[in-house]
Amino acid sequence: MPAPSLKTRLSEFTLVGAVGFVTDGGLLVLLHDVYGINPYASRCVSFPVAMTVTWLLNRWLTFADRKDSRAASELGRYAVVAVCGALLNMLIFFALVRYFSFMSEIVLLPFAIASGIALVFNFLGSQHFVFTHQNELDET
């Protein structure tokens, strides 16, 4: 079976990201609104759960042909990329709102721009750092 095309991988990665978004948001709302846990603690639970869900889905769908036999090592690399992507997302969002005042009035625009850039960052990180053939990692 040939490796999926870049377009297929990116489409699957985006779909998995949507599942992660719903997982993160749904758990955040459940913990905060239903159980009354403060939003910071709720997010400290919802983000790692969503990250793990997206790692598993990407491992078995998007990058099934490239998964590492050492799952814990792969998850660690995925966590690094996910956290860096989240920080990049926030920095871009804050910069856009800070330096382009009109964006503070329509926050979905900087949110979408920052999310799109972070999506590309996360995809490239997953493609070239997380889900690589084991012999490629050993050579670095």
Side-chain angles (χ1 to χ4, degrees), residues 50-108:
M51 183 196 67
T52 304
V53 166
T54 59
W55 167 66
L56 287 168
L57 290 172
N58 278 314
R59 177 178 171 79
W60 293 103
L61 176 66
T62 312
F63 298 102
D65 61 318
R66 303 176 81 192
K67 63 186 173 194
D68 190 338
S69 61
R70 298 176 300 180
S73 174
E74 185 181 86
L75 177 58
R77 292 189 308 271
Y78 191 82
V80 167
V81 170
V83 168
C84 289
L87 290 172
L88 177 65
N89 186 323
M90 296 299 276
L91 286 172
I92 292 168
F93 175 83
F94 291 145
L96 289 171
V97 169
R98 169 82 170 99
Y99 295 109
F100 299 95
S101 59
F102 73 93
M103 289 201 185
S104 66
E105 301 299 319
I106 44 172
V107 294
L108 279 180

